[in-house]
Amino acid sequence: MNGFSVLATVRRLLGHPAALVVALALAFVIGLWIGGGNDPSATATGDGPAAAAASGDGGEADGPQVYTCSMHPSVRLVDPDAKCPICFMDLIPVQEGSGGPGGEDALALDEDAVARAGIETSAVARFFPEAEVRLYGKLVPDETRVARLTAWFPGRIERLFVNYLGVPIGRGEHVADLYSPELLTAFAELREAAGSASDAAGMSPVVRRSSRGVLEAARQRLRLLGVDEEAIEAAESGRFDEDRFTVTSPIGGVVTDLAAREGDYLDTGDPIATVADLSRLWLDLEAYESQLAKLAWGQRVTFTVESRPGDIFEGRIAFIEPLVDERTRTAAVRIAVDNADRQLKPGMFASATVRMRVDDGGVVLGDELAGRWVAPMHPTIVEDGPGTCEICGMDLVPAESLGVVAGTGSGAAAATPPLVIPRSAVMFTGERSIVYVQVPDAEMPTFTAREVLIGPRAGDFVTVRDGLEVGERVVTRGAFRIDSDMQIAAKPSMMMPSTANAPAEDPEVPSDFTESLAELYTAYLALQEALADDDLEAARTAAGAVRSAVDVARAETLVGAPLADWRRLRPQL
């Protein structure tokens, strides 16, 4: 093992989370060794350069001058000629007085320093910030307004009236004439049954009941073949005697698909054509899972299409898919769009914007649907009063009962505005969110780091769930400058949390163990010097001392996590 591998091992030990206490203790031992003694006070009060640095030119210093490493601010030594025990860089003096009193967890700056750093602050307030979500998708026909015409009975298409895509058609208008021997037979059976029932008027009750039963069965057969009541009555009375039957459209719209042509013979169930009512469309959008918390049923959405630049269309969220696609990490969001003027066409791409107010729990519902009545199965049906759904016939229910109105259901939490701060005030470490708060009533501008729990973001603002109070001022510009000064001064910062917040249950490392590692560091430093001097024999001797020092470390005093860390690191050492 050469000096560089030992150095890497020590660095890993110092960087290991569970061995932090051990690492700090070992670094302190090295500092004392490099400083020339085990008594820091002796170094500060002696005749060497450390004493001069500690006492100052005029002897007015209250304590020794402390030196630190710019890369490892946790190192604090009183010897100005010492090196960082971790990276062996030159130490720099800790300017405790340059930033004002500050305290252990705060940084104080004079007015000139604040102006040079461009530090700005903003007050914590309560209000509903507005967020904006951009979504993209495509217009498609409303599936509840699409009818597919199929053959209810076998037959041959004698004439097809809708013979190209896009032809407009009204409700009840003819689509095709079919010739069907099976249908003609059913009409003939109906006429015979009607004549038999008429002739049985003067017969016994049993015969009359039997005749009426046969007649009703003939009628029902025609109903199952898709013949309406008017045609059945005409055939029964003898007014319908043609050998062709006209298929009509159940809805008005345009033909979007043709599956048959004149002369085709169809079996029962074969498709003929598809008719879509394009007076209402759906806009199918894709929302990422991070955007779903800001979307809710009933929200208004504005969107644009390339074919009509400058025109803004709007709709309302009618459906949010309950599942997230595992491949794309998105969920479908459907917008109901009124297209009575036919300006929009299915297949157009659209860019949509959803604007909403948010709180610390997500979207804040509006009151646009207050007092309205909605179909639970088809939420695009919204009426001003009670009634039934025009699609499925279900009774409409108040919108408040579905929890989609502010102050009801999930929107009840919107009564209290959330705590809000500018987004630029928050520094994210990946695990924690830090803001710098200005200490009130301080003689000089003083700032301290505060860990906060944030909620949803809304534009240039972010909601705060915990960690701040109304009226406190947070740094919105210059926070990274303050944080760098805090790190150099070895004070709590973004990357170095306050020790006051450290978990109380962390296991302590026995002092017997840390003291037993002093021999290991002595041997390691001897190895490093031997390698630097190209003294191979001395390096071999020092390497043996390193092995011996590892063996004599008093690991029997360790328990729990420190013992597990030592067992893992010992083979590397």
Side-chain angles (χ1 to χ4, degrees), residues 17-18 33 42 60 71 130 186 210 228 240 274 301 306 339 378 447 493 507 569:
W33 187 86
E60 298 177 357
M71 291 186 62
E130 290 190 356
S210 177
D228 56 25
F240 180 81
T274 300
V301 180
E306 293 185 2
N339 190 38
H378 299 92
F447 309 93
S493 60
L569 294 175

Side-chain angles (χ1 to χ4, degrees), residues 72 128 130 137 162 168 196 232 245 271 290 298 319 342 360 371 406 441 496-497 502 541 543 548:
H72 303 91
F128 291 113
E130 290 190 356
V162 289
S196 298
I232 293 175
F245 180 77
S290 59
F319 174 77
R342 302 299 197 279
D360 54 8
D441 303 327
M496 189 169 63
T541 302
S548 300

Side-chain angles (χ1 to χ4, degrees), residues 3 72 102 126 204 219 221 225 262 306 314 355 379 418 489 557:
H72 303 91
R126 283 191 179 275
S204 64
R219 293 170 179 168
R221 183 184 179 187
L225 293 176
E262 287 187 4
E306 293 185 2
E314 69 173 30
R355 294 181 177 86
T557 61

Side-chain angles (χ1 to χ4, degrees), residues 6-7 12 25 48 52 74 115 144 146 193 208 233 284 291 303 315 351 357 362 364 369 436 454 520 536:
V6 176
L7 176 60
R12 285 195 297 270
S74 59
T144 64
V146 176
R208 289 199 301 270
E233 293 178 1
D284 285 345
Q291 300 172 319
F303 65 93
S351 174
R357 299 183 304 163
V364 176
L369 297 177
Y436 276 97
I454 64 172
L520 171 62
L536 179 60

Side-chain angles (χ1 to χ4, degrees), residues 452-467:
V452 295
L453 179 63
I454 64 172
R457 303 175 187 177
D460 295 332
F461 297 95
V462 62
T463 61
V464 179
R465 295 180 177 178
D466 189 30

Side-chain angles (χ1 to χ4, degrees), residues 42-43 45-52:
T43 305
T45 58
D47 297 330

Side-chain angles (χ1 to χ4, degrees), residues 120-125 420-422 425 438 461 471-476:
E120 298 178 1
T121 62
S122 178
V124 181
V420 178
I421 60 175
Q438 185 172 3
F461 297 95
E472 290 186 307
R473 300 195 68 84
V474 296
V475 177
T476 57

